[in-house]
Amino acid sequence: MATITQPGVDTGAGSRGAESIIRVTDVHKYYELGETRVHALRGVTVEVGRGDFVAIMGSSGSGKSTFMNILGCLDKPTTGQYYLEGIEVSSLDKKQLAAIRNRKIGFVFQGFNLLSRTTALENVELPTLYARVSREEGLQRSNEALDLVGLGDRKLHYPSQLSGGQQQRVAIARALVNRPAILLADEPTGNLDSRTSVEIVDVLQKLNDQGLTIVLVTHEPDIARFARRMIEFRDGKIRHDNPGTDRPVAAEILKNMPKVED
Amino acid sequence: MNLVQILRIAMRALARNKLRSALTMLGIIIGVAAVIAMVSVGQGAQQQAQDQIAAMGSNVLFVGSGAVSRGGMSMGWGATKSLVYDDMTAILHECPAIAAAAPGTTATAQVVYGNDNWNTRITGTEPQFFDIKVWNFQEGGPFLQADVESANNVAVIGETVRKNLFGATDPLGQTIRVNNLPFKVVGVLDLKGTSPMGDDQDDTIVLPVTTVQKKMNGQTWLRWIMVSAVSREASYAAQKQISAVLRDRHRIRAGQDDDFFVRNLADFAQLADEQSRLFTILLASIASISLVVGGIGIMNIMLVSVTERTREIGIRMAIGATEGDVQQQFLIEAIVLSLIGGAVGIALGLGASSTIANTLGWPVLVSSKAIVIAAVFSAAIGIFFGFYPARKAARLDPIDALRYE
Ligand SMILES: Nc1ncnc2c1ncn2[C@@H]1O[C@H](COP(=O)(O)OP(=O)(O)OP(=O)(O)O)[C@@H](O)[C@H]1O
Ligand SMILES: [Mg+2]
């Protein structure tokens, strides 16, 4: 179990793709709604290597969020297996799953999911409380994470006092604060203007360069091309799985974009 | 997460809904205050009863004339004339468990001093009566055995009589008129207060038994004999011995009812003590009901709170809170609610106790035990009634909780 609960980014960028940090085989997911049954995932098999940066695309309702929830150990597949660092997730108990969500995986939700009556800093600090790190260290890491996403000057603001992009960045900072090995981001740039979106992608690209494995859901091809690999979902199945070509560097693109205040 | 952080989160969650938290606490506040006030009143009564036992002398026996019942008919005391002075002498000689005995006869009389007069009870006895009853003197002392022998007109007066006749005047050596006979006051008794049976023990004058018999009620028999046993333990043996001696002297055959009765005064005192203890328990249990109602209030609000904050719970679980973390958070919230309520309730209960003592004049005894019990009880209520809502919160499925609107 030590490998699962150990926090920290594996910075083995050299071994990228060599080892599968995520392995999903023939995963199905049904939602039972009274008489009807929604078949959200219909046999998904995929491997994600350590240090990869995967963009998941697909039309609305194609099962992207369902898949991400399974990857994030929030939900369980109805059938099929999910191996995280070689360990089958369905064999873990609730406490172990909580530890994985806390330290191994950072999750950025489609709808932010910040605690509304809690400041940006406290939202980011939350995972460190459950990781039982000391308060000093938790605060230090939270400040660092907020600085990293460019919110150093908004730490004591409440979510309602922040713009959508800023809230999204708080969510990213919260996902990063326990230094996870994997970042799962469900539409982190949804509803954001293009410059803000690229700014967020810039942060993700830099983290990926440091070895963080990223799986990102987006419906915008403009955003997906920043990833190393693109997967397209359709009707609960993987339709296309392509390595990215002409992968642009967000930092470069930002230089040529007009600056807007958010 | 350490305790300080958990407490901070709990305080903040409670502060978010100040009015609701305050109303929830109100149940506990009233419950704890009621328990403390009621237990204080009950213990005050108990303490009073115990003080009276001590004042009574623990090994005193009372021998009264007349049967408690004869042939199924209650005779009441003093209905027979069979108890006589020689019975007392016999008891003293023949009962080894007995240390001392004093005869008693009674009368009521009007007592006059100057222009003031007062109706009171007269007890006629011998000097050892004061020792047996442990009646002490604030002034002067008992009359002498010689006064009994010569049937002298000397009197010992109780505090109520002194107050009503003399006021600020020193009664010692003054002459009072009892049923128009002049008596010299030789002693004034200490204040004794109300007896466990509820009468004013200070409203009395004590005269030599012979004086009362010859000059006032004209009775040759005794109304009672006050006896002290050699020890507390011996008082039951003394009771049996006295019965045996008197049955023999009064020629009562086996199967016949006594024409006297022997009461162990310690039994009375114990009865009073027992009653006040029951009283305390009764009051405390009634008050406890409000504490339980307060606990149900906490449970109710915590359940509402868990439902309201389902999404928050989902978020916390999604970022790594375990079931235990969530359960702990809600449990601590409930405990904080009940403990703050308990603290306020203790303060209120103390206030109520002193108000009762001041306005109603009841004896009130605030014991630290009651406070500790109330504090522990309110924490226990928090745990007990907070457990189910906390468990409910912890059992939520993270993904369902996140989807909750
Ligand atoms: N809790 C649920 N209960 C029932 N059906 C659900 C539930 N969650 C998702 N679904 C269904 O499963 C399918 C996949 O949903 P999912 O949220 O994974 O889509 P998505 O690809 O994330 O879409 P979007 O791009 O709009 O976010 C949809 O048909 C949806 O209606
Ligand atoms: Mg989605």
Side-chain angles (χ1 to χ4, degrees), chain B residues 302 326-336 382-383 386-387 390:
Chain B
M302 291 308 295
V326 173
Q327 174 155 355
Q328 183 173 270
Q329 181 186 339
F330 281 88
L331 202 53
I332 296 273
E333 248 172 63
I335 293 171
V336 166
I383 294 170
F387 188 82

Side-chain angles (χ1 to χ4, degrees), chain B residues 4-25:
Chain B
V4 178
Q5 288 168 323
I6 296 167
L7 282 177
R8 225 182 31 178
I9 291 174
M11 291 303 287
R12 211 195 270 194
L14 296 176
R16 209 168 282 163
N17 278 307
K18 285 194 187 66
L19 182 62
R20 185 203 279 181
S21 302
L23 288 175
T24 309
M25 278 178 208

Side-chain angles (χ1 to χ4, degrees), chain A residues 64-66 110 186-187 217:
Chain A
K64 306 183 296 293
S65 293
T66 304
Q110 195 166 2
D186 195 352
E187 304 251 20
V217 170

Side-chain angles (χ1 to χ4, degrees), chain A residues 69-88:
Chain A
N69 288 340
I70 289 172
L71 290 190
C73 298
L74 287 165
D75 213 349
K76 286 193 163 147
T78 313
T79 62
Q81 287 85 46
Y82 167 29
Y83 296 91
L84 181 66
E85 289 187 327
I87 291 165
E88 220 220 303

Side-chain angles (χ1 to χ4, degrees), chain A residues 31 69 74-75 94-95 98 101-102 109 113-115 117-118 122 126-127 129-130 132 135 174, chain B residues 1 5 8-9 12 16 311-312 315-323 325 329 398-399 402-403:
Chain A
Y31 290 111
N69 288 340
L74 287 165
D75 213 349
K94 285 183 175 178
K95 208 168 170 176
R101 289 196 295 263
N102 188 224
F109 297 93
N113 274 337
L114 300 177
L115 292 186
R117 298 194 219 209
T118 312
E122 285 166 330
L126 219 49
L129 300 183
Y130 294 117
R132 286 161 175 86
R135 181 150 161 75
R174 186 179 65 186
Chain B
M1 218 182 288
Q5 288 168 323
R8 225 182 31 178
I9 291 174
R12 211 195 270 194
R16 209 168 282 163
R311 227 179 132 70
E312 174 195 328
I315 293 171
R316 287 179 185 275
M317 286 181 148
I319 59 168
T322 60
E323 277 189 26
D325 289 326
Q329 181 186 339
I399 196 77
L402 275 175
R403 285 199 189 107

